[in-house]
Amino acid sequence: MSPDNVRILDVLPHRYPFIMLDHVTGYELSKWARGYKNVTWNDWFITEANPYMPHTMVIEALAQLGAFASLDETGISLLTSLNQVEMHEKAVPGDRLDLYFEVTKRKRGFLVGKGLATVGDRIIVKAEEIVSYTPKAD
């Protein structure tokens, strides 16, 4: 399935202001997904006191992107755990935050993957393990 055929709002249950993706540029089921988020002064988490995208929101963006690597699952995925997360530089308004999620394992509703968020050649967040769970719908 191409990203042109799938809208973010059709896949994710999230709505404004908690959508952390602007565009999904590609994905392959059970393998990987790629997308981006444009960081702007209009984002609710950007303030004069906090003029960058919090790393926790970057991790949420990676988790949301992971949903596109598991489109064949039914139900809402829940972020369950993170391991070996490195937080490096900061994404500020005007930056395009490029996101990559790679599936490393799928088993019994659990999706395990690793994620990378960059701005140009700067690493913002690197996560070796992002785990989400999709309970079976009744």
Side-chain angles (χ1 to χ4, degrees):
M1 204 178 275
S2 79
D4 295 334
N5 295 338
V6 177
R7 290 179 0 113
I8 292 170
L9 295 178
D10 291 340
V11 173
L12 298 177
H14 306 75
R15 294 297 177 258
Y16 177 83
F18 213 60
I19 289 284
M20 295 296 134
L21 300 173
D22 287 333
H23 191 70
V24 175
T25 57
Y27 61 89
E28 189 173 342
L29 289 180
S30 297
K31 296 196 179 189
W32 59 270
R34 200 178 298 275
Y36 63 85
K37 160 86 175 117
N38 291 311
V39 182
T40 72
W41 282 106
N42 292 328
D43 287 315
W44 63 270
F45 45 78
I46 301 288
T47 64
E48 286 184 31
N50 188 62
Y52 60 89
M53 185 173 183
H55 289 112
T56 53
M57 295 292 102
V58 176
I59 292 166
E60 175 63 26
L62 288 167
Q64 289 180 14
L65 184 64
F68 289 85
S70 62
L71 282 175
D72 55 334
E73 294 285 333
T74 58
I76 298 171
S77 291
L78 308 168
L79 181 60
T80 60
S81 69
L82 302 165
N83 288 306
Q84 298 176 356
V85 177
E86 299 173 11
M87 300 174 187
H88 295 274
E89 297 191 36
K90 296 177 177 153
V92 297
D95 285 345
R96 175 178 145 156
L97 184 66
D98 291 308
L99 305 162
Y100 179 73
F101 182 92
E102 181 179 332
V103 176
T104 56
K105 186 186 335 180
R106 287 182 74 171
K107 188 172 186 179
R108 295 187 182 139
F110 285 93
L111 177 73
V112 181
K114 55 185 175 179
L116 181 65
T118 60
V119 172
D121 60 351
R122 297 181 299 129
I123 295 174
I124 306 301
V125 171
K126 182 178 183 182
E128 288 300 318
E129 188 175 87
I130 300 171
V131 182
S132 62
Y133 177 69
T134 306
K136 294 291 181 195
D138 292 330

